[in-house]
Coordinates of all heavy atoms in Angstrom, one line a residue:
G1 N 19.0 0.3 16.5 CA 17.9 -0.3 15.7 C 16.5 0.2 15.9 O 15.9 0.6 14.9
F2 N 16.1 0.3 17.1 CA 14.8 0.8 17.4 C 14.7 2.3 17.0 O 13.7 2.8 16.5 CB 14.3 0.6 18.8 CG 13.0 1.1 19.1 CD1 11.9 0.4 18.7 CD2 12.7 2.3 19.8 CE1 10.6 0.8 18.9 CE2 11.4 2.7 20.1 CZ 10.4 2.0 19.7
A3 N 15.8 3.1 17.3 CA 15.7 4.5 16.9 C 15.6 4.7 15.4 O 14.9 5.5 15.0 CB 17.0 5.2 17.5
L4 N 16.4 3.9 14.6 CA 16.2 4.0 13.2 C 14.9 3.5 12.7 O 14.3 4.1 11.8 CB 17.3 3.1 12.5 CG 18.7 3.7 12.5 CD1 19.7 2.7 12.0 CD2 18.7 5.0 11.7
Y5 N 14.3 2.5 13.3 CA 13.0 2.0 12.9 C 12.0 3.1 13.3 O 11.1 3.4 12.4 CB 12.6 0.7 13.7 CG 11.2 0.4 13.5 CD1 10.7 -0.2 12.2 CD2 10.2 0.6 14.4 CE1 9.4 -0.5 12.0 CE2 8.9 0.3 14.2 CZ 8.5 -0.2 13.0 OH 7.2 -0.5 12.8
W6 N 12.1 3.7 14.4 CA 11.1 4.8 14.8 C 11.2 5.9 13.9 O 10.2 6.5 13.5 CB 11.3 5.2 16.2 CG 10.3 6.1 16.8 CD1 10.5 7.5 16.9 CD2 9.0 5.8 17.2 NE1 9.3 8.0 17.4 CE2 8.4 7.0 17.6 CE3 8.3 4.6 17.4 CZ2 7.1 7.0 18.1 CZ3 7.1 4.7 17.9 CH2 6.5 5.8 18.3
T7 N 12.4 6.3 13.4 CA 12.6 7.4 12.6 C 12.0 7.1 11.2 O 11.4 8.0 10.6 CB 14.1 7.8 12.5 OG1 14.6 8.0 13.8 CG2 14.3 9.0 11.6
Y8 N 12.3 5.9 10.7 CA 11.9 5.6 9.3 C 10.8 4.6 9.1 O 10.7 4.0 8.1 CB 13.1 5.1 8.5 CG 14.2 6.1 8.4 CD1 15.4 6.1 9.2 CD2 14.1 7.2 7.5 CE1 16.3 7.0 9.1 CE2 15.1 8.1 7.4 CZ 16.2 8.1 8.2 OH 17.2 9.0 8.1
K9 N 9.9 4.5 10.2 CA 8.9 3.4 10.1 C 7.9 3.8 9.0 O 7.7 4.9 8.7 CB 8.2 3.3 11.5 CG 7.4 4.5 11.8 CD 6.8 4.3 13.2 CE 6.0 5.6 13.6 NZ 5.4 5.4 14.9
P10 N 7.3 2.7 8.5 CA 6.3 3.0 7.4 C 5.1 3.8 8.0 O 4.7 3.5 9.1 CB 5.9 1.6 7.0 CG 6.8 0.6 7.6 CD 7.5 1.3 8.7
R11 N 4.6 4.7 7.3 CA 3.5 5.5 7.8 C 2.2 4.6 7.6 O 2.0 3.9 6.6 CB 3.3 6.7 6.9 CG 4.5 7.6 7.2 CD 4.4 8.8 6.3 NE 5.7 9.5 6.4 CZ 5.8 10.8 6.7 NH1 4.7 11.5 6.9 NH2 7.0 11.4 6.8
S12 N 1.3 4.7 8.5 CA 0.0 4.0 8.5 C -0.9 4.7 7.5 O -0.8 5.9 7.3 CB -0.6 3.9 9.9 OG -0.9 5.3 10.3
T13 N -1.7 3.9 6.9 CA -2.7 4.5 5.9 C -3.8 5.1 6.6 O -4.3 4.6 7.7 CB -3.2 3.4 5.0 OG1 -3.9 2.4 5.7 CG2 -2.1 2.8 4.1
S14 N -4.2 6.2 6.1 CA -5.3 7.0 6.8 C -6.7 6.4 6.3 O -6.8 5.9 5.3 CB -5.2 8.4 6.3 OG -6.3 9.1 6.8
S15 N -7.6 6.5 7.2 CA -9.0 6.1 6.9 C -9.7 6.9 5.9 O -10.7 6.5 5.3 CB -9.8 5.9 8.2 OG -9.9 7.2 8.7
T16 N -9.2 8.1 5.7 CA -9.8 9.1 4.7 C -9.1 8.9 3.3 O -9.5 9.6 2.4 CB -9.6 10.5 5.2 OG1 -8.2 10.8 5.3 CG2 -10.3 10.7 6.5
A17 N -8.2 7.9 3.1 CA -7.6 7.8 1.9 C -8.6 7.3 0.8 O -9.6 6.5 1.2 CB -6.5 6.8 2.0
V18 N -8.4 7.7 -0.4 CA -9.3 7.3 -1.5 C -9.0 5.9 -1.9 O -7.9 5.5 -2.1 CB -9.1 8.3 -2.7 CG1 -10.0 7.8 -3.8 CG2 -9.4 9.7 -2.3
A19 N -10.0 5.1 -1.9 CA -9.9 3.7 -2.3 C -9.5 3.6 -3.8 O -10.1 4.2 -4.7 CB -11.1 2.9 -2.0
Q20 N -8.5 2.7 -4.1 CA -8.1 2.6 -5.5 C -9.0 1.5 -6.1 O -9.3 0.5 -5.5 CB -6.7 2.1 -5.5 CG -5.7 3.1 -5.0 CD -5.6 4.3 -5.8 OE1 -5.7 4.2 -7.0 NE2 -5.4 5.4 -5.2
P21 N -9.4 1.7 -7.3 CA -10.3 0.7 -8.0 C -9.5 -0.5 -8.3 O -8.3 -0.5 -8.5 CB -10.7 1.4 -9.3 CG -9.7 2.5 -9.5 CD -9.2 2.9 -8.2
E22 N -10.2 -1.7 -8.3 CA -9.5 -2.9 -8.6 C -9.1 -2.9 -10.1 O -9.8 -2.4 -11.0 CB -10.4 -4.1 -8.3 CG -10.6 -4.2 -6.7 CD -11.2 -5.6 -6.4 OE1 -11.0 -6.5 -7.2 OE2 -11.8 -5.6 -5.4
P23 N -8.0 -3.5 -10.4 CA -7.5 -3.6 -11.8 C -8.5 -4.4 -12.7 O -9.1 -5.4 -12.2 CB -6.2 -4.2 -11.8 CG -6.1 -4.8 -10.4 CD -7.0 -4.2 -9.5
A24 N -8.7 -4.0 -13.8 CA -9.5 -4.8 -14.8 C -8.9 -6.1 -15.0 O -7.7 -6.3 -15.0 CB -9.7 -4.0 -16.1
A25 N -9.9 -7.0 -15.4 CA -9.4 -8.4 -15.7 C -8.6 -8.4 -17.0 O -8.8 -7.6 -17.9 CB -10.6 -9.3 -15.9
E26 N -7.6 -9.2 -17.1 CA -6.7 -9.4 -18.2 C -7.6 -9.8 -19.4 O -8.4 -10.7 -19.3 CB -5.7 -10.4 -18.0 CG -4.7 -10.1 -16.8 CD -3.7 -9.1 -17.2 OE1 -3.3 -9.0 -18.4 OE2 -3.2 -8.4 -16.3
P27 N -7.5 -9.1 -20.6 CA -8.4 -9.4 -21.7 C -8.2 -10.9 -22.1 O -9.2 -11.6 -22.6 CB -7.9 -8.5 -22.8 CG -7.0 -7.5 -22.2 CD -6.6 -8.1 -20.8
H28 N -7.0 -11.5 -22.1 CA -6.8 -12.8 -22.5 C -7.4 -13.9 -21.6 O -7.5 -15.0 -21.9 CB -5.3 -13.1 -22.8 CG -4.5 -13.1 -21.6 ND1 -4.0 -11.9 -21.0 CD2 -4.0 -14.1 -20.8 CE1 -3.3 -12.2 -19.9 NE2 -3.3 -13.5 -19.8
L29 N -7.7 -13.4 -20.3 CA -8.3 -14.4 -19.3 C -9.8 -14.5 -19.4 O -10.4 -15.4 -19.0 CB -7.8 -14.0 -17.9 CG -6.3 -14.1 -17.6 CD1 -6.1 -13.6 -16.2 CD2 -5.8 -15.5 -17.9
A30 N -10.4 -13.4 -20.0 CA -11.9 -13.4 -20.0 C -12.3 -14.1 -21.3 O -12.0 -13.7 -22.4 CB -12.4 -12.0 -20.0
R31 N -13.0 -15.2 -21.2 CA -13.5 -15.9 -22.4 C -14.8 -16.3 -22.3 O -15.5 -16.6 -21.4 CB -12.6 -17.2 -22.6 CG -11.2 -16.9 -22.9 CD -10.4 -18.1 -23.3 NE -9.1 -17.7 -23.4 CZ -8.3 -18.1 -24.4 NH1 -8.7 -19.0 -25.2 NH2 -7.0 -17.7 -24.5

């Protein structure tokens, strides 16, 4: 179990990664 986890563990996100913009508000919710 640990060997498989170590082999396929999720990669950590890098601090140099580009931030994704937040999604725009749904048009039907803005009134």
